[in-house]
Amino acid sequence: MPNDLCFVLMPFGQKPDLSGKLVDFDAVYGELIAPAIREAGLDPIRADEEMTGGIIHKPMFERLIFCKFAVADLTTANANVFYELGLRHAVRPWSTVLVFSKGGSQLPFDVAPLRALPYTLGPDGKPADVDATKSMLGKRLAQAREAAAREPAADSPIYELVEGYPNEIDHAKTDVFRDRVRYSEEEKRKLAAARRQGADAVRAVEAELGDLASVESGVVVDLFLSYRAVKAWDDMVRLAAKMPQPLAATVMIQEQLGLALNRAGRGDEAEALLLSLIERRGPSSETYGILGRVYKDRWEAAAKSGKAFQARGLLDKAVDAYLKGFEADWRDAYPGINAVTLMELKEPPDPRRQELLPVVTYAVGRKVAAGKPDYWDHATLLELAVLAKDAGKAAAALGAALANVRESWEPETTLRNIRLIREAREKRGETVDLEKQVEEELAAAGR
């Protein structure tokens, strides 16, 4: 797994500081900042061109937004650096470390109160006392990494001083990405049409795009999700390797890459990627939900092969992963319903499901009540109704789910869960007429 990226905001070449002394910023980067970043277990990335004439290029925005960590050198009060730092502070509440050369630089009033790390320059304008400063910078970055798994104190003055900022701004989930993110309407329409035609049509759109480095990030992500929609798992894996590194390193892309690897039959790689993501970024409902699917697939394969003891252990691992995902964000009912469903499949059924059922029901109920339910919300209500053997609620939820299908693989996923419930109940001698009826309707929708 690649390390997290750390974007460096700083001038290039030799520039005079406020006292007139030349500063060799390339040496500051190469001898001090980049080595400290690497020692902290991160990968440094610096803009490869000066920003001139007020033109801000797309890659700059991507690095500012997508790189989880950043170092900003405030020496010379460079206008570009301060503009970039302002953008960074607006989108990232923490994980931005500030440095400046002491002696020849005085920080402007607005940033003087911020916690910046000074470094010393020699007569040649190159960094002096490198080892000590590099050690301090490395510690700051290491502290930021350690804080990533919990709720750290804000280092952005906007988040620190303005209570409630950014004031109910939601970060879009993967499934609503196309609705929330603005990018080329023309490419959006092309990809929507291609998804209806199949994988070859999506590949044709990709070929038209050319070099992905010059393509809007929104288009690249839509292309990635379009391959998911047509179940072109190998193409998803291939495309992730071609993406610009800051975009490829985002949590959303890494999570969906894990999903694709698993569906492409590379479950071991998917597991390693997802566990690494959890270790580096902390728990999330989405990451644990996909990891649960990895273990769920292994459990089903072991059960079909007659490996009863192995299957039992894998089923426990799947339940545990889904439970951790639901505990990470109780508003996300997806891992919760999967945990409850798998508990139903155990022999005997796991009694904890009786405690979890009303919590999952409440979570999805609040989402529906908010007025923005999607397919997965209605599908969750459907599974809950089947688990409760409530034919009336199942019929209502099934109708709503089918009316909100966006991609063919969605009802297929729900169908699989209903089938598993039906098979487990048949073995116990229970009546399964409701389950069979729901299966038939979902199978037709998938076709």
Side-chain angles (χ1 to χ4, degrees):
M1 281 295 299
N3 293 325
D4 282 317
L5 292 171
C6 181
F7 184 42
V8 181
L9 320 177
M10 66 182 302
F12 299 87
Q14 293 188 342
K15 301 286 191 303
D17 64 16
L18 299 183
S19 68
K21 179 180 179 179
L22 281 181
V23 180
D24 188 340
F25 284 104
D26 290 340
V28 172
Y29 177 74
E31 299 174 16
L32 173 60
I33 295 177
I37 291 172
R38 294 191 184 96
E39 288 182 10
L42 305 169
D43 288 333
I45 179 171
R46 185 172 71 155
D48 55 5
E49 57 185 341
E50 284 270 10
M51 297 296 132
T52 59
I55 300 173
I56 304 300
H57 297 275
K58 181 178 73 73
M60 176 65 71
F61 284 114
E62 292 180 350
R63 294 184 183 109
L64 288 169
I65 294 170
F66 292 136
C67 289
K68 189 166 186 180
F69 303 92
V71 172
D73 190 337
L74 307 183
T75 306
T76 75
N78 181 277
N80 289 324
V81 172
F82 275 85
Y83 180 82
E84 294 153 13
L85 177 61
L87 290 175
R88 176 78 182 180
H89 277 165
V91 299
R92 288 281 183 178
W94 59 278
S95 73
T96 304
V97 178
L98 309 180
V99 299
F100 70 101
S101 67
K102 62 182 180 181
S105 297
Q106 182 177 353
L107 296 180
F109 175 80
D110 287 340
V111 297
L114 302 182
R115 184 170 172 249
L117 178 68
Y119 62 84
T120 303
L121 293 172
D124 56 358
K126 297 181 179 181
D129 196 16
V130 170
D131 290 340
T133 308
K134 184 170 63 175
S135 175
M136 288 189 289
L137 178 55
K139 287 179 181 178
R140 290 272 184 96
L141 290 166
Q143 289 169 358
R145 288 199 71 195
E146 293 167 3
R150 58 182 188 272
E151 195 69 29
D155 57 41
S156 163
I158 301 175
Y159 285 82
E160 186 177 17
L161 301 176
V162 181
E163 184 176 356
Y165 181 82
N167 209 15
E168 301 295 328
I169 294 178
D170 292 328
H171 296 284
K173 289 267 188 179
T174 302
D175 288 331
V176 294
F177 174 86
R178 298 187 190 101
D179 298 328
R180 301 280 184 87
V181 180
R182 294 181 180 178
Y183 53 97
S184 170
E185 289 295 331
E186 180 182 359
E187 301 302 338
K188 187 182 291 189
R189 287 192 294 270
K190 284 183 181 179
L191 285 167
R195 288 192 295 276
R196 292 191 291 271
Q197 297 172 43
D200 287 339
V202 177
R203 295 185 191 106
V205 174
E206 180 186 356
E208 290 178 10
L209 293 174
D211 183 10
L212 295 183
S214 60
V215 177
E216 288 180 79
S217 294
V219 175
V220 177
V221 176
D222 196 353
L223 175 64
F224 189 60
L225 299 180
S226 293
Y227 278 128
R228 185 187 72 171
V230 296
K231 295 181 281 190
W233 314 117
D234 289 329
D235 286 292
M236 287 183 71
V237 176
R238 174 185 56 78
L239 182 61
K242 289 175 57 179
M243 287 182 188
Q245 192 178 14
L247 179 58
T250 61
V251 172
M252 183 176 76
I253 297 300
Q254 289 293 299
E255 287 172 336
Q256 295 304 306
L257 175 58
L259 181 149
L261 285 167
N262 183 58
R263 298 296 289 271
R266 297 161 65 176
D268 289 344
E269 294 174 65
E271 180 187 24
L273 184 153
L274 295 166
L275 289 174
S276 174
L277 195 59
I278 291 168
E279 181 181 356
R280 292 184 293 118
R281 300 297 181 96
S284 82
S285 60
E286 185 85 357
T287 311
Y288 267 119
I290 298 171
L291 182 62
R293 176 61 189 262
V294 172
Y295 296 140
K296 182 179 176 182
D297 287 347
R298 290 180 183 172
W299 157 73
E300 196 167 9
K304 288 180 179 178
S305 300
K307 301 174 182 177
F309 290 103
Q310 183 182 17
R312 185 180 304 173
L314 289 168
L315 184 55
D316 288 340
K317 288 187 74 171
V319 169
D320 181 64
Y322 282 126
L323 275 176
K324 287 179 177 176
F326 190 49
E327 290 168 357
D329 185 354
W330 289 20
R331 297 168 300 177
D332 186 355
Y334 171 78
I337 187 59
N338 276 280
V340 170
T341 295
L342 293 186
M343 288 176 180
E344 174 77 13
L345 306 184
K346 298 179 76 172
E347 291 296 340
D350 193 325
R352 292 178 297 170
R353 76 193 192 288
Q354 300 301 338
E355 298 177 357
L356 196 58
L357 268 169
V359 183
V360 178
T361 303
Y362 179 80
V364 70
R366 295 313 304 158
K367 176 74 177 297
V368 172
K372 297 180 181 179
D374 60 14
Y375 170 81
W376 294 114
D377 299 316
H378 296 298
T380 299
L381 290 174
L382 172 60
E383 280 190 55
L384 289 167
V386 169
L387 288 168
K389 301 185 179 182
D390 189 323
K393 288 184 178 180
L398 177 60
L402 295 180
N404 284 278
V405 171
R406 294 160 299 193
E407 298 172 356
S408 62
W409 62 273
E410 293 175 328
E412 292 174 3
T413 299
T414 307
L415 170 62
R416 183 179 184 227
N417 282 357
I418 301 299
R419 187 192 74 240
L420 291 171
I421 295 171
R422 189 253 305 162
E423 291 173 348
R425 287 176 169 176
E426 278 182 329
K427 289 180 181 178
R428 301 182 199 132
E430 299 178 27
T431 302
V432 291
D433 294 339
L434 172 61
E435 291 83 345
K436 288 180 179 179
Q437 181 181 357
V438 172
E439 281 186 72
E440 292 173 3
E441 294 291 339
L442 289 171
R447 290 192 294 271

